[in-house]
Amino acid sequence: MSLIETHDLRRVYELDSGRVVALDHASLSIEKSDFIAVMGPSGSGKSTFMNLIGCLDKPTSGHYRLAGTAVESLDANGLARLRNREIGFVFQQFNLLPRIDALSNVELPMIYAGFDKKTRRDRALHALGRVGLAERAHHRPMQLSGGQQQRVAIARALVNSPSLLLADEPTGALDSRTAIEILALFQELNREGVTIVLVTHDADVGRHARRLIRFKDGKILDDHRQTPLDARDLLSAEVAA
């Protein structure tokens, strides 16, 4: 069974200015351990698609199954439970709480999931170690670089062992070298079996995924596999230069 299955997924908004079809009959399947880049211009439907597969919104019609669960049948509480159990989110602006340290930020999803204090701390430290930041566990966000903050956000996204890591423009607020470092981390996680769907407008970022899906006017315009750029090679080339 695929991790994600959508069939004729549609999202229609009824606005004062008229009816807007934001997503139009999107059907696709995403296997476990895949790494997908979702691309398209503003208004193409990629953000609507992200909101739907991230269980942040419900389709107007069509079907969506995540890890075997029929998402369109869930109420708001059901969507929240499924999000917390199956999806880790990484955003462009990190969304870390500034007054608590990295460790406490990473623990947050486990508080909502009902884990005890010791389990939260152990798993958060492990997640920070996984992204190379164990020694920064007690630093607050303002004491970390942009790349380090994004690594904390990735650790937070991973801490509940989700089925899906959903990244929305995760390199958009980073300089080019730091962006490559984050892409190298995503590729490493993917090699470990993490399923990643990355939404981006940057073609260079999209080249690091193993599959590319392009949206236009609410429809899937193109869906193909590609040989990804290896971010480790780019980092090695910079060091050599």
Side-chain angles (χ1 to χ4, degrees), residues 31-77:
E31 300 298 322
K32 292 180 180 179
S33 302
D34 210 345
F35 185 177
I36 294 172
V38 176
M39 299 190 66
S42 178
S44 64
K46 68 179 187 299
S47 294
T48 300
F49 176 74
M50 182 202 72
N51 287 338
L52 291 176
I53 68 168
C55 300
L56 298 169
D57 193 10
K58 292 178 66 174
T60 303
S61 62
H63 304 284
Y64 169 32
R65 298 185 76 86
L66 172 62
T69 299
V71 175
E72 70 273 6
S73 67
L74 300 177
D75 60 14
N77 289 332

Side-chain angles (χ1 to χ4, degrees), residues 54-55 74-86 112:
C55 300
L74 300 177
D75 60 14
N77 289 332
L79 286 173
R81 286 192 295 269
L82 186 64
R83 278 196 308 271
N84 188 257
R85 184 176 73 245
E86 300 290 352
Y112 303 136

Side-chain angles (χ1 to χ4, degrees), residues 155-231:
R156 180 185 59 193
L158 293 171
V159 77
N160 275 347
S161 300
S163 301
L164 172 66
L165 185 63
L166 185 57
D168 183 16
E169 301 284 1
T171 61
L174 304 174
D175 63 82
S176 57
R177 177 179 172 77
T178 305
I180 294 172
E181 291 174 350
I182 293 299
L183 290 169
L185 176 57
F186 279 137
Q187 289 181 328
E188 178 183 345
L189 293 169
N190 181 242
R191 285 189 290 270
E192 294 174 2
V194 178
T195 308
I196 300 173
V197 175
L198 186 156
V199 179
T200 182
H201 70 280
D202 189 331
D204 288 336
V205 172
R207 292 172 66 194
H208 290 81
R210 294 195 283 155
R211 179 177 170 191
L212 183 63
I213 299 174
R214 293 185 184 275
F215 280 85
K216 184 177 181 181
D217 298 329
K219 297 178 181 292
I220 296 176
L221 179 68
D222 180 40
D223 181 357
H224 69 270
R225 294 207 166 270
Q226 61 184 8
T227 301
L229 287 178
D230 193 327

Side-chain angles (χ1 to χ4, degrees), residues 78-166:
L79 286 173
R81 286 192 295 269
L82 186 64
R83 278 196 308 271
N84 188 257
R85 184 176 73 245
E86 300 290 352
I87 305 173
F89 291 93
V90 180
F91 299 101
Q92 179 175 340
Q93 298 298 333
F94 321 136
N95 290 357
L96 301 177
L97 297 183
R99 295 187 179 182
I100 60 176
D101 62 19
L103 184 66
S104 298
N105 268 285
V106 175
E107 287 182 2
L108 287 173
M110 292 183 289
I111 294 175
Y112 303 136
F115 288 97
D116 64 82
K117 184 174 182 179
K118 183 179 186 306
T119 300
R120 292 199 308 265
R121 177 141 303 215
D122 289 346
R123 291 181 63 164
L125 283 170
H126 175 75
L128 284 169
R130 197 173 180 188
V131 301
L133 280 183
E135 78 284 357
R136 300 278 183 171
H138 298 294
H139 287 65
R140 293 186 180 186
M142 65 180 296
Q143 297 171 306
L144 301 172
S145 68
Q148 289 170 336
Q149 289 184 63
Q150 191 60 293
R151 286 175 180 269
V152 173
I154 293 169
R156 180 185 59 193
L158 293 171
V159 77
N160 275 347
S161 300
S163 301
L164 172 66
L165 185 63
L166 185 57

Side-chain angles (χ1 to χ4, degrees), residues 16-37:
D16 292 341
S17 56
R19 192 166 179 261
V20 175
V21 180
L23 195 68
D24 193 5
H25 297 288
S27 297
L28 56 78
S29 177
I30 296 175
E31 300 298 322
K32 292 180 180 179
S33 302
D34 210 345
F35 185 177
I36 294 172

